[in-house]
């Protein structure tokens, strides 16, 4: 503990990349800009370990000459405004109920895994549910073709 109160160290169970926000004062908005594409086709919103998945998706899309913006979500903030003319994609391993406000149009994408209690190895479950970088990148590319 400290003189001001208890201390907490939170360690993830996953091997995660160290990601630095590019945007100042974003802690007030609850959403950090992690990556800004030069000519983006989509905004990708993710939280926690899912930010690393979003970065993998970014790399796959880059191999198709497609850029994206990536945002890390700390808490739901309905006042946050992303670039309105882009496809929005929310990646959330759990329930994305509080993030639905980011999905504005019919073509926007929600990638989530609300199938809890499955007795299966995590990576296999994610792969079978399409919760992997290849499947997500394909969904974004397919939707972008229809979105333009």
């Amino acid at each position: 503990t400290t003189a001001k109160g208890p201390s907490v160290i939170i360690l993830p169970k996953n091997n995660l990349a160290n990601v630095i926000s590019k945007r100042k004062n974003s802690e007030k908005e609850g959403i950090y800009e992690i990556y800004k594409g030069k000519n983006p086709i989509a905004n990708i919103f993710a939280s926690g370990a899912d930010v690393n998945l979003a970065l993998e998706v970014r790399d796959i899309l880059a191999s198709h000459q497609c850029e994206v913006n990536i945002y890390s979500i700390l808490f739901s903030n309905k006042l946050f405004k992303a670039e309105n003319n882009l496809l929005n994609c929310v990646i959330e391993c759990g329930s994305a109920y509080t993030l639905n406000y980011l999905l504005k149009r019919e073509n926007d994408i929600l990638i989530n895994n609300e199938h809890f209690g499955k007795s299966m190895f995590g990576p296999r479950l994610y792969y079978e549910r399409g919760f992997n970088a290849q499947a997500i990148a394909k969904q974004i590319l397919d939707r972008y073709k229809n979105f333009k």
Side-chain angles (χ1 to χ4, degrees), residues 95-144:
S95 176
Y97 174 75
T98 61
L99 305 176
N100 284 336
Y101 71 93
L102 294 167
L103 305 171
K104 307 258 188 235
R105 293 170 296 273
E106 185 177 321
N107 277 344
D108 286 347
I109 304 167
L110 172 62
I111 308 288
N112 70 330
N113 182 29
E114 293 194 18
H115 303 281
F116 298 109
K118 281 287 206 179
S119 193
M120 187 184 300
F121 181 58
R124 180 175 165 209
L125 177 65
Y126 287 168
Y127 184 79
E128 289 183 7
R129 299 264 185 234
F131 203 81
N132 61 74
Q134 288 286 346
I136 295 169
K138 182 179 180 336
Q139 278 194 51
I140 291 173
L141 287 171
D142 290 347
R143 293 279 176 97
Y144 177 68

Side-chain angles (χ1 to χ4, degrees), residues 33-44:
E33 181 181 273
I34 300 300
Y35 180 81
K36 182 87 169 155
K38 291 180 183 171
N39 190 18
I41 65 167
N43 296 310
I44 299 178

